Amino acid sequence: MIPSNTSLQVDFNGPLHHFLGVKFTHSKTADGHLTIHLNQESDIQQLLQEHNLHTSTTLTKPTPYRSGHPVDTIPNVDIPHYQRTDIESKLRAIIGSLNWLSTQTRPDIATITNMIAQYQSNPSPGHLEAAKYVLRYLKGTPDLGITFTSCPQTTLESFVKFPISPTQLQPFSDANWGPQDASVPKSTDPPQELELFKSRSISGFLIWLGGPLHWVSKRQSITARSSTEAEIYATDECTKCLQHVGNIISDLHLLHLYTQNEPIPIMNDNEAAVKWSHNMTTKGLRHIQMRENAVREQVQLGFITVEHIGGKQNLADAF
């Protein structure tokens, strides 16, 4: 075991171009700022070959989740056991690859990957088609990825019209309240059983540091009674991740990435959730569980503060 305070000599063999399937593209602006773009085009091409979709039609926009592809409304049809086993095997293989892409360089497929993954244990043919839908989207957008830059003025800042710092942690949280894909039965529909997890909201957050440093999009573990409650759950998840990132920053002696004497502002587009975090509550939120009060505690301790941002400027709205 090497002590943590030990220095090791390493060799520099030039700029990094490929690592674990990720392609690194370096460029410099006229004023000397560095930009690094990461994508997994080779992994995507290999994935398409494995599932015989390299010659299929392509999809470029919108993202599979935003297109309204009805994952939660896919019926659970009665099929032979051998056929379901085959579908399950193929779906698990695709989801494993999609999960790797969505956590490394493709936050745009994080939500749809999480939704399809919840049907791995008892899938229908429609769930496999939904996964292939995502693959065709990747086929049409193989060069998309994430970009890090040291330039204070970026095209992203111009797009969202919100100041984006290249040298400070900037977290954003958001939630998509209630059932996704209109999966709740209408009054005119025949009686049917609604699986409880389909009524749960989706949490999304993104931590920005010159680029998307970390992001998460997943369905919440309990049903939120209001959009405010869903946003509080999402902010709680973001807070826990920030504490983890803060520990890593401290271990790496990179404390200049955030000011320890000032709270880290988590940007959220729900005014009621922002007010709740600062101890302004209503009768409708008295039932909030103790674990969500952890957000308030971290605000009072000065680790974070929750601030309002417009929905169109919220980067976490992508989830």
Side-chain angles (χ1 to χ4, degrees):
M1 179 70 70
I2 300 176
S4 59
N5 59 351
T6 300
S7 297
L8 300 175
Q9 182 178 350
V10 296
D11 295 326
F12 179 68
N13 296 320
L16 178 65
H17 295 290
H18 290 87
F19 183 72
L20 295 178
V22 179
K23 179 182 178 182
F24 294 75
T25 304
H26 307 257
S27 61
K28 276 191 176 182
T29 61
D31 53 358
H33 286 286
L34 177 66
T35 296
I36 303 176
H37 178 72
L38 288 69
N39 69 38
Q40 293 172 275
E41 184 173 358
S42 60
D43 283 351
I44 292 173
Q45 297 300 338
Q46 181 179 347
L47 180 60
L48 293 170
Q49 290 277 355
E50 290 176 356
H51 297 281
N52 297 317
L53 290 174
H54 54 287
T55 59
S56 64
T57 56
T58 61
L59 301 170
T60 57
K61 59 181 182 180
T63 64
Y65 174 58
R66 293 296 181 184
S67 71
H69 198 70
V71 177
D72 279 350
T73 58
I74 295 174
N76 186 13
V77 298
D78 186 16
I79 56 177
H81 177 72
Y82 74 90
Q83 185 178 353
R84 192 178 299 278
T85 300
D86 180 62
I87 291 174
E88 183 176 325
S89 176
K90 292 178 180 179
L91 184 61
R92 288 182 182 276
I94 295 177
I95 290 299
S97 299
L98 293 181
N99 189 56
W100 168 249
L101 293 171
S102 69
T103 57
Q104 301 302 307
T105 63
R106 297 299 297 258
D108 53 329
I109 64 170
T111 303
I112 192 67
T113 299
N114 177 264
M115 292 181 69
I116 299 176
Q118 293 180 309
Y119 295 93
Q120 292 182 88
S121 61
N122 190 31
S124 293
H127 297 118
L128 182 58
E129 288 304 312
K132 290 181 178 180
Y133 183 96
V134 182
L135 293 181
R136 290 196 295 273
Y137 167 72
L138 292 174
K139 184 176 186 293
T141 58
D143 56 340
L144 287 187
I146 57 177
T147 300
F148 293 87
T149 179
S150 62
C151 182
Q153 298 294 327
T154 65
T155 54
L156 174 64
E157 183 173 331
S158 302
F159 178 75
V160 301
K161 296 180 174 57
F162 183 81
I164 305 295
S165 172
T167 59
Q168 296 290 313
L169 285 176
Q170 287 187 281
F172 301 81
S173 71
D174 198 13
N176 193 344
W177 179 48
Q180 312 305 309
D181 298 330
S183 58
V184 171
K186 299 178 182 178
S187 58
T188 55
D189 293 338
Q192 58 180 294
E193 181 181 354
L194 177 63
E195 296 167 286
L196 292 180
F197 76 91
K198 291 184 179 181
S199 295
R200 295 170 186 163
S201 307
I202 289 179
S203 291
F205 68 84
L206 180 147
I207 299 176
W208 189 270
L209 181 60
L213 179 67
H214 184 68
W215 59 87
V216 169
S217 176
K218 65 179 183 179
R219 212 186 292 257
Q220 296 176 357
S221 59
I222 58 176
T223 303
R225 292 180 174 87
S226 67
S227 59
T228 299
E229 189 173 338
E231 298 280 358
I232 291 172
Y233 294 160
T235 304
D236 176 57
E237 293 294 328
C238 183
T239 301
K240 289 188 291 186
C241 184
L242 268 178
Q243 291 175 303
H244 174 63
V245 171
N247 292 335
I248 296 176
I249 288 175
S250 178
D251 291 341
L252 295 177
H253 305 289
L254 299 174
L255 298 179
H256 63 280
L257 297 178
Y258 69 93
T259 305
Q260 287 185 297
N261 296 328
E262 296 181 4
I264 302 173
I266 298 178
M267 310 309 297
N268 185 279
D269 55 16
N270 186 287
E271 292 190 23
V274 173
K275 292 179 179 178
W276 178 90
S277 71
H278 295 281
N279 279 343
M280 297 176 64
T281 190
T282 64
K283 291 182 178 179
L285 293 175
R286 287 187 300 184
H287 63 279
I288 295 292
Q289 297 182 15
M290 295 302 294
R291 70 183 182 92
E292 278 63 56
N293 276 310
V295 175
R296 282 177 164 173
E297 288 182 353
Q298 294 304 318
V299 170
Q300 293 175 7
L301 290 172
F303 177 67
I304 64 166
T305 183
V306 184
E307 299 181 4
H308 184 261
I309 186 175
K312 293 183 178 180
Q313 287 76 46
N314 192 351
L315 298 184
D317 188 57
F319 305 119

